[in-house]
Amino acid sequence: MTENTKQETKFVLSDTVLFDLIVLIFFLLMAIMSFEYNPRARSIPLALGIIGSIMIFLQLLADAIPGLRPRLRFVVQGGILGTEDDAKNKKGAVDAKKASQAPGSEIEKSARYWLQVMRLVLWLVGFVVLLTQVNYLIAVGVFIILITKLEAKETWRKSIILALCIDASFYVLFDLILQAHL
């Protein structure tokens, strides 16, 4: 076995891999527990559990076995909370060495990252509070409009159209199909 082959099959255990495992267990439990529901109520959690399990399993492979990343390129992409490693792997990304040469840049990056995480947590807390006070369709609509306008920096028009489409989808799914008047 060559050095390159050993390196490709090396398993990496990190906080990302542990998080992937926790989420995978959650989706598997969702799929398994859905069998306790009646057939009509089972469809959504079972589908979400199966699809989520497959997706997070692929993410787990990409995070745990770096040698598989070239084969799983569709999985390894940066998102809203993408890491510096994701940025290095992206084509056309800014050279990380240049960014790290500025004084205090690591502390600033860390502070910006945690500020972004905190903002998202506050948005979710606000959504949950609003959800307890008004109808779920109003809460979802307001949440989508504010998130897409203020965080994603989209236009008011796009934000409102997206919120209306999501509200209509939720109404059809929950009120009409599942008859679960939330």
Side-chain angles (χ1 to χ4, degrees), residues 87-106:
K88 287 180 187 176
N89 292 335
K90 279 181 126 178
K91 290 182 181 178
V94 176
D95 186 20
K97 289 181 182 177
K98 289 180 184 176
S100 65
Q101 289 174 353
S105 65
E106 287 299 318

Side-chain angles (χ1 to χ4, degrees), residues 72-90:
L72 298 172
R73 280 181 292 196
F74 60 94
V75 175
V76 184
Q77 293 183 5
I80 191 167
L81 297 175
T83 62
E84 189 175 317
D85 292 335
D86 295 337
K88 287 180 187 176
N89 292 335
K90 279 181 126 178

Side-chain angles (χ1 to χ4, degrees), residues 8-162:
E8 286 182 12
T9 59
K10 183 180 176 185
F11 186 83
V12 176
L13 186 61
S14 66
D15 56 344
T16 305
V17 173
L18 292 176
F19 180 77
D20 292 346
L21 282 171
I22 292 169
V23 175
L24 178 62
I25 291 169
F26 168 78
F27 278 118
L28 289 172
L29 285 174
M30 180 189 296
I32 292 167
M33 291 177 66
S34 70
F35 288 107
E36 295 178 9
Y37 303 139
N38 67 46
R40 190 173 187 175
R42 166 184 323 149
S43 60
I44 300 293
L46 181 61
L48 287 175
I50 291 171
I51 292 169
S53 296
I54 292 169
M55 292 172 62
I56 200 67
F57 180 72
L58 291 172
Q59 183 67 49
L60 175 67
L61 287 176
D63 290 340
I65 306 171
L68 291 178
R69 288 181 184 164
R71 293 184 189 132
L72 298 172
R73 280 181 292 196
F74 60 94
V75 175
V76 184
Q77 293 183 5
I80 191 167
L81 297 175
T83 62
E84 189 175 317
D85 292 335
D86 295 337
K88 287 180 187 176
N89 292 335
K90 279 181 126 178
K91 290 182 181 178
V94 176
D95 186 20
K97 289 181 182 177
K98 289 180 184 176
S100 65
Q101 289 174 353
S105 65
E106 287 299 318
I107 295 170
E108 290 173 10
K109 285 180 191 176
S110 178
R112 278 194 307 259
Y113 174 79
W114 285 110
L115 179 64
Q116 194 173 25
V117 169
M118 191 58 157
R119 271 197 337 255
L120 292 174
V121 168
L122 289 174
W123 277 113
L124 290 173
V125 168
F127 172 67
V128 169
V129 168
L130 186 62
L131 198 56
T132 63
Q133 303 299 317
V134 297
N135 183 295
Y136 80 99
L137 291 174
I138 295 170
V140 167
V142 169
F143 178 73
I144 296 297
I145 289 171
L146 292 175
I147 282 287
T148 54
K149 177 60 183 160
L150 300 176
E151 292 294 328
K153 310 261 189 282
E154 290 293 336
T155 64
W156 282 108
R157 182 176 180 221
K158 285 183 181 178
S159 299
I160 292 169
I161 290 172
L162 179 64

